[in-house]
Amino acid sequence: CRRALRGVKASFLKLGISLPSRAGSRLQGTAGIPRRSRRRRKSVAIAYEAGQGDGAEPRAARWEPRDWREQLERIREMRRSRDAPVDEMGVQKCYDSSAPPQVMRYQVLLALMLSSQTKDQVTSAAMLRLRRRGLTVDAVLQMDDETLGQIIYPVGFWRNKVKYIKQTTAILKQKYGGDIPSTVEELVQLPGVGPKMAHLAMHIAWDSVAGIAVDTHVHRISNRLKWVKKETKHPEETRVALEDWLPRDLWKEINWLLVGFGQQTCLPVNPRCSQCLNQDICPAAKRL
């Protein structure tokens, strides 16, 4: 059979007819017609951009709360007068702006430590008394605990705060040359300093936005407005939830806005929903 095939091939060559090579095809019925390749072509998956291609599904958009932009604009409108306690006696008003930068930053941190679970009015008065005594790292270290307690009373948990202030001030003197740390990670390692204080210290003392400062007002209002994907139990949970979707250029503003709003309108008990511009689009509003 092979000899006959070679003979046929030789005859075709004498007539000037070329046959396909063995690698390309084999004779099938009529000479010179290649057999269709049995090798399967690899299927290539085509990745479409959102909105392109037949049947392509758009990429999942990042979650964000319903109506949040309109709610935010209305809160800005309600806060336009800047007459809440946080505006007039908040931490940003408690330090000596004419002091050397290092002293100013120390005073910011102390004001934040005193402000925990304390009304702005009480914190402001305590800071004023401290500044009259000379509020520097060295001055506080030279002050005995009893005197410091008498000065800061009646801030909340004043006995614990005396201990934390003395411990933190000693660390600042020994480790940071009398200045305060410039990162959230280092600030929260100081006795009596929590995440909210650390983020506010970064905002006010270092003019750096490292995250959202979440206190009880921000925590409460974020849950009432449904600015968190699911209900949060603690301020730190709320901070993480907010930072996941809120544009970064709003991080510094949001604490100031919501704290004042919480002090004047969205109160912890008996919120003044009838006076709130967001009454019609707030999930927690008490509609009359």
Side-chain angles (χ1 to χ4, degrees), residues 116-132:
S116 175
Q117 300 186 44
T118 303
K119 292 184 177 181
D120 288 327
Q121 300 91 322
V122 177
T123 301
S124 178
M127 282 295 295
L128 184 58
R129 293 192 295 271
L130 280 170
R131 285 171 55 187
R132 287 173 179 165

Side-chain angles (χ1 to χ4, degrees), residues 168-216:
T168 289
T169 302
I171 292 171
L172 298 181
K173 176 74 171 180
Q174 297 166 5
K175 189 173 180 180
Y176 298 98
D179 209 338
I180 72 171
S182 59
T183 67
V184 170
E185 292 74 17
E186 291 176 292
L187 283 164
V188 295
Q189 297 301 316
L190 298 171
V193 178
K196 180 210 74 173
M197 300 180 204
H199 286 294
L200 281 176
M202 294 298 296
H203 293 180
I204 302 170
W206 292 109
D207 192 25
S208 174
V209 179
I212 300 173
V214 177
D215 67 352
T216 56

Side-chain angles (χ1 to χ4, degrees), residues 220-236:
R220 177 179 73 255
I221 295 168
S222 295
N223 276 276
R224 284 179 176 175
L225 291 173
K226 302 298 183 185
W227 281 10
V228 289
K229 198 170 184 179
K230 60 181 181 178
E231 184 181 0
T232 54
K233 300 296 184 183
H234 307 288
E236 264 301 277

Side-chain angles (χ1 to χ4, degrees), residues 44-63:
V44 179
I46 301 175
Y48 293 97
E49 293 295 331
Q52 296 181 3
D54 294 335
E57 295 184 3
R59 292 176 181 172
R62 175 175 290 187
W63 178 89

Side-chain angles (χ1 to χ4, degrees), residues 77-97:
E77 177 64 27
M78 289 182 279
R79 294 281 287 113
R80 181 177 292 182
S81 60
R82 295 173 178 260
D83 55 359
V86 69
D87 301 307
E88 300 171 352
M89 291 167 282
V91 170
Q92 76 281 359
K93 299 286 187 179
C94 289
Y95 64 88
D96 182 3
S97 58

Side-chain angles (χ1 to χ4, degrees), residues 68-78 277:
W68 76 268
R69 293 184 186 276
E70 189 173 1
Q71 291 167 342
L72 180 63
E73 282 303 317
R74 294 182 184 185
I75 292 172
R76 284 180 176 140
E77 177 64 27
M78 289 182 279
L277 298 180

Side-chain angles (χ1 to χ4, degrees), residues 6 13 16 25 37 61 71-72 79 96 102 123 128 136-137 146 148 165 172 193 202 222 226 228 242 248 285 288:
R6 283 198 293 269
L13 291 175
S25 65
S37 174
Q71 291 167 342
L72 180 63
R79 294 281 287 113
D96 182 3
Q102 184 170 306
T123 301
L128 184 58
T136 64
V137 166
E146 184 178 354
L148 180 57
I165 287 172
L172 298 181
V193 178
M202 294 298 296
S222 295
K226 302 298 183 185
V228 289
L242 287 175
R248 195 179 181 90
L288 301 177

